[in-house]
Amino acid sequence: MTETTTDNIDDLRGRAIESDDSEHNVTFESGGRTVHGFLKLPPSGSGPGVIVIQEWWGLTTHVADLTRRFAAEGFVALAPDLYGGRTTHDSDEAAGLLEALPVEEAAKDLSGAVDYLLERPEVVGDAVSAVGFCMGGGFVLVLAAQQGDKIAKAVPFYGLPPVPQDYSNLSAQVLGHYAETDEWLDRADIDAEAAKIEEQSGQQVDFRFYPAGHAFLNDEDLLGTYDAEQADLAWRRTVEFLRAE
């Protein structure tokens, strides 16, 4: 296996974007460069916007499927591709891709995704929501911290920010989904992040815990932790939360 480093991440992206590894159907500008993404419209043709943020595996078929599911629930859903087309089912390679992804660059891409959605005529309202998984769950909180009132609701699944955040600008409602038997995250760190968000932003945080393992909603089951019952419960809670006024 070739080690993934900051020196070769751009080359990997350049080659992968021409492959069939990931699904793309839109592009948008961010920080002077073009970012690819996967967009799905709801059956009605319009609705609230939601950013769907990938796990460390990349914009896989699972993430594309989640984007379709959000669209079917009435949302204009966009999954920005933070790896530029690169996907993997190998944990070591995924860890390398994540390590090689600069937080500031990912934040810029996500900011561009927010602006792109808000500019689309199909999107209702002057703010969007964000839902992310694992790595993406952490970036949901980064996005909400940085984008202020452009993010109406933030839903992290089993993820915390990769670097400390200042939440004083956060105005989003926050619903989080975390696993009771997560080998990747400590409960104390999760509770501390919730307390920090509440203290710095003044927003109440609702972190839910499930009798399951990390990535329990991922039905590709790459970690062997998929739990259909808990996944369905977390999904229904998320959709209800996003729909609520």
Side-chain angles (χ1 to χ4, degrees), residues 137-145 156 159-161 167 170 174 178 193 197 207:
F139 277 119
V140 161
L141 295 176
V142 173
L143 190 62
L160 292 175
Y167 292 110
L170 181 146
V174 181
Y178 292 89
E193 200 70 21
I197 295 170
F207 279 179

Side-chain angles (χ1 to χ4, degrees), residues 1-114:
M1 181 187 305
T2 301
E3 181 182 4
T4 304
T5 69
T6 52
D7 293 330
N8 62 21
I9 184 73
D10 287 335
D11 179 58
L12 288 173
R13 288 174 171 171
R15 288 187 283 109
I17 200 65
E18 299 174 356
S19 75
D20 295 326
D21 288 345
S22 187
E23 299 189 52
H24 305 97
N25 58 9
V26 294
T27 60
F28 55 90
E29 296 303 311
S30 174
R33 66 190 190 91
T34 300
V35 181
H36 292 71
F38 181 67
L39 177 78
K40 289 300 291 183
L41 301 180
S44 66
S46 64
V50 61
I51 304 292
V52 183
I53 310 179
Q54 68 189 57
E55 295 172 292
W56 70 346
W57 312 111
L59 205 171
T60 60
T61 53
H62 170 64
V63 177
D65 178 61
L66 290 172
T67 306
R68 294 186 183 94
R69 289 176 65 185
F70 278 117
E73 296 287 355
F75 301 95
V76 178
L78 171 66
D81 194 335
L82 301 181
Y83 289 167
R86 183 73 171 178
T87 63
T88 181
H89 286 171
D90 180 272
S91 294
D92 290 338
E93 189 172 10
L97 286 166
L98 173 57
E99 185 178 356
L101 178 66
V103 174
E104 291 183 1
E105 181 176 300
K108 286 181 181 178
D109 289 351
L110 293 170
S111 174
V114 170

Side-chain angles (χ1 to χ4, degrees), residues 113-145:
V114 170
D115 291 340
Y116 172 75
L117 264 193
L118 288 174
E119 290 169 1
R120 289 194 65 101
E122 303 94 341
V123 173
V124 175
D126 55 6
V128 300
S129 295
V131 182
F133 305 85
C134 185
M135 175 190 92
F139 277 119
V140 161
L141 295 176
V142 173
L143 190 62

Side-chain angles (χ1 to χ4, degrees), residues 130 137 140-141 144-145 151-157 159 167 170-178 193-194 197-198 201-208 241-242:
V140 161
L141 295 176
I151 305 298
K153 298 184 180 183
V155 186
F157 275 77
Y167 292 110
L170 181 146
S171 62
Q173 299 177 48
V174 181
L175 171 67
H177 304 290
Y178 292 89
E193 200 70 21
I197 295 170
E198 291 186 345
S201 71
Q203 292 284 354
Q204 185 175 359
V205 173
D206 184 6
F207 279 179
R208 307 289 183 93
F241 174 70
L242 294 178

